[in-house]
Amino acid sequence: QVQLVESGGGLVQAGGSLRLSCAASGIIFRPNRMDWYRQAPGKQRELVATISSLGRTNYADSVKGRFTISRDGAKNTPYLQMNDLKPADTAAYYCHVNYWDGGFNTLDAWGQGTLVTVSS
């Protein structure tokens, strides 16, 4: 089982940028889907960005045009470039990778979150 550790979070002012990344405890050979989630205090966890095995991307409307998800080609883990950050982006951000185990099953790797705080 692979675990992920996010990094790159911190405190920034509105309009600033951050780049989030994941470190994996093992090698992911066949990724199926890579995602970034976030959860703000008092709110439900939401999917903010996803990238498929074919490289197709989707974004939540609230971050479209500001955030970009990409993948590390060697490690098959996702990056999240966040530009023009807003106070509403303040949340704990989680990376997730769904990957094939070499057969018919998929497994899920999760991080424990990195905190992003955007001040006004």
Side-chain angles (χ1 to χ4, degrees):
Q1 184 68 248
V2 175
Q3 283 80 41
L4 304 175
V5 179
E6 301 91 344
S7 62
L11 174 64
V12 298
Q13 293 186 356
S17 298
L18 287 172
R19 182 175 174 84
L20 306 184
S21 60
C22 292
S25 63
I27 299 174
I28 299 174
F29 291 105
R30 297 187 62 198
N32 181 45
R33 188 184 71 252
M34 307 179 198
D35 312 290
W36 284 95
Y37 291 81
R38 70 184 182 187
Q39 187 167 22
K43 295 187 177 181
Q44 296 179 339
R45 180 176 295 187
E46 65 172 332
L47 177 66
V48 298
T50 185
I51 183 168
S52 74
S53 60
L54 297 177
R56 304 287 296 274
T57 59
N58 284 289
Y59 300 92
D61 288 341
S62 60
V63 307
K64 192 173 299 182
R66 299 187 297 117
F67 290 11
T68 302
I69 186 171
S70 60
R71 71 185 193 190
D72 185 317
K75 298 182 178 180
N76 289 321
T77 54
Y79 293 101
L80 186 67
Q81 178 66 45
M82 305 185 295
N83 297 325
D84 192 24
L85 284 161
K86 303 176 180 180
D89 296 319
T90 295
Y93 284 74
Y94 303 86
C95 59
H96 165 255
V97 180
N98 179 257
Y99 62 99
W100 296 97
D101 66 353
F104 296 103
N105 302 311
T106 60
L107 301 171
D108 294 282
W110 286 94
Q112 292 185 329
T114 186
L115 183 63
V116 172
T117 302
V118 184
S119 64
S120 59

